[in-house]
Amino acid sequence: MTFRVAVLSKDLKVNGGNRVAIEVTARMRLRGWDARIFVEFPTVSVPEGWISDELPIKPIDAIDSFEPDVGIATYFTTSRILNQLTCHRGRLQYVQARYNPRFERNERRALMREALFSPASSKVVVSHYLKEWLSSLGVEATVVPPGLNHEIFYPLRRDGETAFRVLIEGDLRRPAKRVPVAYACVPAEFEIWGLGPVDHGLHASRMWVDPPQGQLSRVYSSCHALVKLARGEGLSLAIMEAMACGVVPVCSDEGGHRDFCVDGFNSVIVKRDAAVSDVLTWLRDNEDAWHALSTNARATAHSFEWDRTVTGLEGLFLKTRE
């Protein structure tokens, strides 16, 4: 039997939530499911290689005629549409970051609360951090970790490069990403590269704005450390992507980082922003320590597979009775 799976997304911008939508849809189709992405706001430019031309992308108002057996919403604004669908195999609502509806304007606040507390859909989270948060609100959730596309993210040799380079990734427009804080924590003698959907406008010697997917391994592999001080993230795919390329994360003790970052083994977790400077200096001056962390980071990232993610999701709707 072939199931019809509708993956509902807000837009197609480059971010972790949409990475989940794209990868899950593509791999479900490889398994024989009729999986399609339905988008609220499809008119957005995306970098080369972000979405395969073979992946069916439809406007959200075409979903009724599709009559899906399974619905998967990846953003809180699409949960209302999801909960109105008749999906005999189930509705899955992804919660991919921690947010507090109290601090949002009224309309967004109502949508967030509905996404969190509606019993019409089963909640799926990407980390144990989010599961514990939802549990504190009285909401049950199943952890289904994301994967990594190892055809895109892999280490490349740093031929002829001797300078210790630091990468700072994130969306400058989102305060919780704390991009300016990360820049401020890096000592002046270090070269910084920036990566994100908009120009950071800070003191990066090179800024990569949504580069083609085929260039990402080169960008990551050209750097030695990633400074990521974001708060409230469910699980940072950027950290995992960097680790796959041998970059050592220097990250805050926040969000879902501890689901795969082990301090002193594959990363350095800092309790205080002020510690970043000393950590970067130590990594630069201790090549053996950096190499050991880099090797373990690659091994950790290699264990994350999108096929395993899809198997976890299938387990949630295949056990549902017709």
Side-chain angles (χ1 to χ4, degrees):
M1 177 179 181
T2 298
F3 292 124
R4 295 183 298 275
V5 182
V7 180
L8 289 69
S9 186
K10 175 188 175 185
D11 52 42
L12 297 173
K13 293 178 181 178
V14 178
N15 57 49
N18 286 339
R19 172 80 72 183
V20 171
I22 291 168
E23 295 286 356
V24 163
T25 304
R27 280 161 174 75
M28 282 188 170
R29 291 182 65 81
L30 289 175
R31 295 189 180 196
W33 307 136
D34 184 2
R36 309 180 189 186
I37 297 178
F38 294 85
V39 187
E40 280 189 287
F41 306 103
T43 55
V44 59
S45 60
V46 296
E48 178 185 338
W50 175 239
I51 303 174
S52 168
D53 293 336
E54 298 178 358
L55 204 61
I57 310 292
K58 304 292 182 181
I60 203 83
D61 55 10
I63 199 168
D64 287 335
S65 60
F66 182 54
E67 298 182 346
D69 301 296
V70 179
I72 304 174
T74 61
Y75 196 66
F76 68 86
T77 61
T78 59
S79 65
R80 176 174 293 176
I81 300 171
L82 170 71
N83 293 337
Q84 293 172 349
L85 297 174
T86 300
C87 301
H88 298 294
R89 283 282 178 173
R91 308 180 191 90
L92 306 179
Q93 168 65 47
Y94 257 102
V95 180
Q96 302 193 69
R98 178 171 178 165
Y99 45 81
N100 192 333
R102 291 184 300 171
F103 299 112
E104 298 289 344
R105 62 181 185 270
N106 290 339
E107 183 180 1
R108 282 173 59 90
R109 184 185 307 162
L111 287 173
M112 284 180 170
R113 289 188 63 82
E114 181 178 332
L116 286 177
F117 297 109
S118 173
S121 58
S122 300
K123 305 302 182 286
V124 178
V125 293
V126 293
S127 66
H128 291 86
Y129 161 77
L130 290 176
K131 179 180 176 67
E132 292 171 3
W133 167 57
L134 286 177
S135 179
S136 71
L137 301 176
V139 179
E140 294 186 1
T142 301
V143 179
V144 181
L148 201 64
N149 189 334
H150 299 287
E151 294 180 359
I152 298 176
F153 302 104
Y154 52 87
L156 297 172
R157 294 182 60 179
R158 298 180 174 88
D159 292 333
E161 297 184 1
T162 58
F164 191 95
R165 186 176 292 126
V166 177
L167 179 66
I168 295 177
E169 184 277 339
D171 190 340
L172 184 70
R173 299 164 297 184
R174 298 179 61 185
K177 298 294 185 182
R178 306 181 75 227
V179 171
V181 175
Y183 275 88
C185 290
V186 179
E189 68 261 29
F190 287 92
E191 180 184 358
I192 301 176
W193 279 12
L195 174 65
V198 296
D199 192 331
H200 290 166
L202 300 167
H203 50 280
S205 61
R206 186 162 187 178
M207 182 68 215
W208 297 87
V209 178
D210 281 351
Q213 297 296 286
Q215 290 186 9
L216 283 173
S217 281
R218 174 61 63 187
V219 174
Y220 283 125
S221 295
S222 296
C223 300
H224 295 79
L226 168 70
V227 175
K228 188 77 170 177
L229 303 177
R231 289 177 175 163
E233 289 190 314
L235 189 148
S236 174
L237 280 176
I239 292 180
M240 195 182 297
E241 293 165 0
M243 292 170 75
C245 299
V247 181
V248 175
V250 179
C251 57
S252 55
D253 193 9
E254 293 275 349
H257 296 166
R258 283 197 179 269
D259 267 37
F260 62 101
C261 290
V262 180
D263 184 35
F265 175 73
N266 59 16
S267 60
V268 180
I269 297 177
V270 294
K271 302 289 186 179
R272 299 176 296 107
D273 296 340
V276 171
S277 176
D278 289 342
V279 169
L280 291 175
T281 301
W282 176 74
L283 288 172
R284 180 195 61 190
D285 296 344
N286 291 271
E287 185 175 351
D288 289 345
W290 175 86
H291 189 270
L293 290 166
S294 173
T295 299
N296 292 334
R298 293 199 306 270
T300 298
H302 191 71
S303 68
F304 284 81
E305 301 280 353
W306 282 114
D307 282 335
R308 191 175 303 168
T309 302
V310 172
T311 297
L313 293 174
E314 286 179 342
L316 295 177
F317 65 76
L318 287 177
K319 66 183 179 183
T320 305
R321 295 181 179 180
E322 301 242 63

